[in-house]
Amino acid sequence: MPQIYVIYRPEDTRKKSKEIIAALQKTYGEANIQFPDFDGYVDVYQIERAVQQTNYLLVLIGNYWADLVDEGGQNLLADVYDPVHIAIATAIQSKKRIVPILIDDAKMPSRHRLP
């Protein structure tokens, strides 16, 4: 059974992400689907370890996914401690398969915007 890690921006796609995660858990089993708990403390080092141990990274991309900024106005994707940045960068470094999933007619971000 494949191990799948799902990363998303709760500010952008929380409802749809929960629906997708529930469907994946039903299909592949809860033990095979991992994702961060954005309702509690997000341990970015745990995300890094989990992505290294999975087969696939599913990146759920909404309309504002690449444009969200922190309190200081910095784009979140540029922040090396951002959970989405860490998940994508770790998957690339670990040579994991990355599957972008566009939600609500979102457009694929250009390559230069990705970590």
Side-chain angles (χ1 to χ4, degrees):
M1 201 51 69
Q3 294 290 313
I4 301 170
Y5 196 86
V6 181
I7 193 74
Y8 62 95
R9 293 215 179 278
E11 308 88 348
D12 194 27
T13 59
R14 182 182 299 269
K15 185 174 188 262
K16 292 273 184 160
S17 296
K18 290 192 179 275
E19 293 171 6
I20 291 168
I21 289 168
L24 289 166
Q25 288 174 325
K26 185 176 179 181
T27 302
Y28 297 106
E30 287 186 30
N32 295 311
I33 308 300
Q34 297 180 45
F35 53 95
D37 177 11
F38 285 114
D39 293 326
Y41 172 73
V42 177
D43 182 349
V44 293
Y45 298 107
Q46 186 278 333
I47 292 172
E48 184 177 55
R49 288 188 301 273
V51 170
Q52 288 171 343
Q53 296 172 4
T54 60
N55 302 105
Y56 300 94
L57 173 66
L58 271 57
V59 182
L60 307 183
I61 300 172
N63 289 309
Y64 307 105
W65 181 86
D67 298 322
L68 292 171
V69 296
D70 65 14
E71 300 83 28
Q74 179 182 355
N75 184 280
L76 290 178
L77 281 177
D79 180 358
V80 297
Y81 295 105
D82 172 60
V84 173
H85 178 110
I86 287 179
I88 294 171
T90 300
I92 290 169
Q93 291 168 351
S94 303
K95 296 184 174 35
K96 302 295 179 181
R97 297 220 182 230
I98 302 172
V99 180
I101 298 174
L102 303 175
I103 296 177
D104 294 332
D105 299 321
K107 303 285 186 253
M108 186 66 186
S110 61
R111 185 177 185 149
H112 77 276
R113 301 216 45 204
L114 300 176

